[in-house]
Amino acid sequence: MSAKKPIIFLGPCLPRAEARALLEADYRPPVRRGDVLAAAREAPPLIGIIDGVFMHTLAPSPREVLQAIETGVPILGSSSLGALRAVELEPFGMVGVGRIFEMFKRRELIADDEVALVFSSEDLRALSEPLVNIRHALAAAEREGLISGAERRRLIRIGRGIYFPERSYRRLFREAEGRVRPEALAALEGFVRSGDHDLKASDARALLVEARRRL
């Protein structure tokens, strides 16, 4: 059986409606163990891995994705689990897309939980904030002069110390009280609330654009 549309594994990184506006595809929930190889056997023109499961459900192993690559189906990865697998499997033909992939490739990021979050099983809505997005927002706030470099590094250390299902800006700011200037925290809170600092979403869009280009 040959799938006519590309297959994209997408969850909380990007709303489906926005994704479909960028690429007409067969959108499937965050990828689990066995899903990639099963999708490859459908012979789609392309597979894109953006979101995947963490914690209690097994994610696709590098070996599974490698077996899928060996079927000849092009496989792209970005943003979340897709970026992690792309770093591991780029030498074998998987294509990494986006800044998060590049950051892992350069070893600026090394921990899987940088991209991890928890989400609603009903509507795939994110229920926590991934550390990589927090890093992105803090870097932008430093460039704007709202926080110092030392404060940015301190906030990242605080964020890293929060267990990933519990990470949120609210929790970060609460734990930073007394450790970061109150005026800096107030400015940062407004900055985060008023802007789009979702690097995972940006990389998800980049994968869809690249997939459209290749097709």
Side-chain angles (χ1 to χ4, degrees), residues 18-203:
E18 184 176 351
R20 287 197 177 95
L22 291 170
L23 177 71
E24 184 61 32
D26 177 358
Y27 287 98
R28 300 185 182 183
V31 68
R32 301 168 181 257
R33 180 70 56 88
D35 287 350
V36 179
L37 194 52
R41 288 172 178 153
E42 297 177 42
L46 181 146
I47 293 172
I49 303 174
I50 298 175
D51 287 298
V53 297
F54 287 89
M55 294 182 69
H56 305 303
T57 305
L58 291 176
S61 66
R63 180 177 178 81
E64 177 190 338
V65 181
L66 178 58
Q67 289 177 309
I69 292 170
E70 290 172 346
T71 69
V73 177
I75 301 181
L76 278 61
S78 78
S79 302
S80 193
L81 184 72
L84 299 176
R85 290 293 175 265
V87 169
E88 297 164 325
L89 296 170
E90 186 183 34
F92 304 98
M94 188 169 178
V95 178
V97 179
R99 290 179 59 188
I100 295 171
F101 162 74
E102 293 294 341
M103 291 164 77
F104 274 107
K105 184 177 177 180
R106 294 193 299 265
R107 297 193 63 78
E108 294 173 18
L109 303 176
I110 57 173
D112 289 3
D113 83 330
E114 288 275 354
V115 296
L117 52 74
V118 290
F119 56 88
S120 166
S121 59
E122 296 179 359
D123 59 8
L124 303 180
R125 178 173 49 90
L127 301 176
S128 64
E129 192 69 40
L131 186 56
V132 70
N133 281 356
I134 293 173
R135 285 182 183 274
H136 184 58
L138 294 177
E142 182 185 358
R143 289 193 297 271
E144 292 289 325
L146 302 178
I147 57 175
S148 68
E151 287 170 329
R152 175 184 58 80
R153 291 188 291 273
R154 189 172 302 124
L155 285 161
I156 290 172
R157 285 196 298 272
I158 294 169
R160 190 186 296 128
I162 301 170
Y163 184 38
F164 81 83
E166 300 169 3
R167 280 190 190 126
S168 66
Y169 285 110
R170 179 178 296 181
R171 173 75 179 271
L172 175 67
F173 297 153
R174 186 171 70 245
E175 296 205 6
E177 290 177 1
R179 303 164 70 180
V180 174
R181 292 174 298 128
E183 60 270 27
L185 285 179
L188 185 58
E189 186 173 0
F191 179 75
V192 168
R193 188 169 53 244
S194 63
D196 178 8
H197 309 290
D198 192 337
L199 187 56
K200 290 183 69 174
S202 177
D203 280 5

Side-chain angles (χ1 to χ4, degrees), residues 5-8 23 43-48 73-76 207 210-212 214-215:
K5 295 181 180 179
I7 294 172
I8 308 292
L23 177 71
L46 181 146
I47 293 172
V73 177
I75 301 181
L76 278 61
L207 181 143
E210 175 63 15
R212 187 178 64 198
R214 287 171 175 261
L215 293 171

